[in-house]
């Protein structure tokens, strides 16, 4: 098993790396498709609450039996949808591209 509760220090480091890749992928997609500054997105996506949500989603997908790649893809997709919904609800809050 990739992760177990409670996480060992090595597992916590691996989870952090996985979440970092997920955040980077989501930021790249939004940057590429909408022109939003990638550094801004990484800052938003690495807020402690956002990291917690991303990690929990990723771990749940792994618990559901998805491979790490599949779990990362679904988690990144959810992050993109979360951003799109927030941007739609508060368009004036988004920085200029």
């Amino acid at each position: 098993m990739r992760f177990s509760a409670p996480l060992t220090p090595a597992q916590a480091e691996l989870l952090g790396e996985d979440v970092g890749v997920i955040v980077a992928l989501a930021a790249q997609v939004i940057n590429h498709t909408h022109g939003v500054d990638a550094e801004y997105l990484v800052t938003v996506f690495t807020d402690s609450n956002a990291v917690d949500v991303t990690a929990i989603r990723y771990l749940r997908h792994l618990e559901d039996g998805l491979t790490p790649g599949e779990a990362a893809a679904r988690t990144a997709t959810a992050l993109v949808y979360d951003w799109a919904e927030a941007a739609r609800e508060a368009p004036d809050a988004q920085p200029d591209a």
Side-chain angles (χ1 to χ4, degrees), residues 37-74:
D37 182 63
E39 288 182 37
Y40 165 77
L41 292 167
V42 169
T43 300
V44 170
F45 292 163
T46 56
D47 168 85
S48 62
N49 291 332
V51 168
D52 290 347
V53 169
T54 301
I56 289 167
R57 282 178 171 161
Y58 178 61
L59 290 171
R60 285 188 182 156
H61 288 311
L62 291 173
E63 288 174 0
D64 289 342
L66 297 178
T67 67
E70 293 168 330
R74 287 199 186 173

Side-chain angles (χ1 to χ4, degrees), residues 30 34 45 78-90:
I30 294 169
H34 299 286
F45 292 163
L79 193 53
V80 170
Y81 282 121
D82 288 347
W83 174 85
E85 183 176 326
R88 186 180 65 238
E89 291 176 2

Side-chain angles (χ1 to χ4, degrees), residues 6-30:
L7 296 178
T8 66
Q11 288 174 323
E13 184 174 336
L14 181 59
L15 178 59
E17 291 172 6
D18 290 354
V19 168
V21 169
I22 292 165
V23 165
L25 290 172
Q28 288 175 353
V29 166
I30 294 169

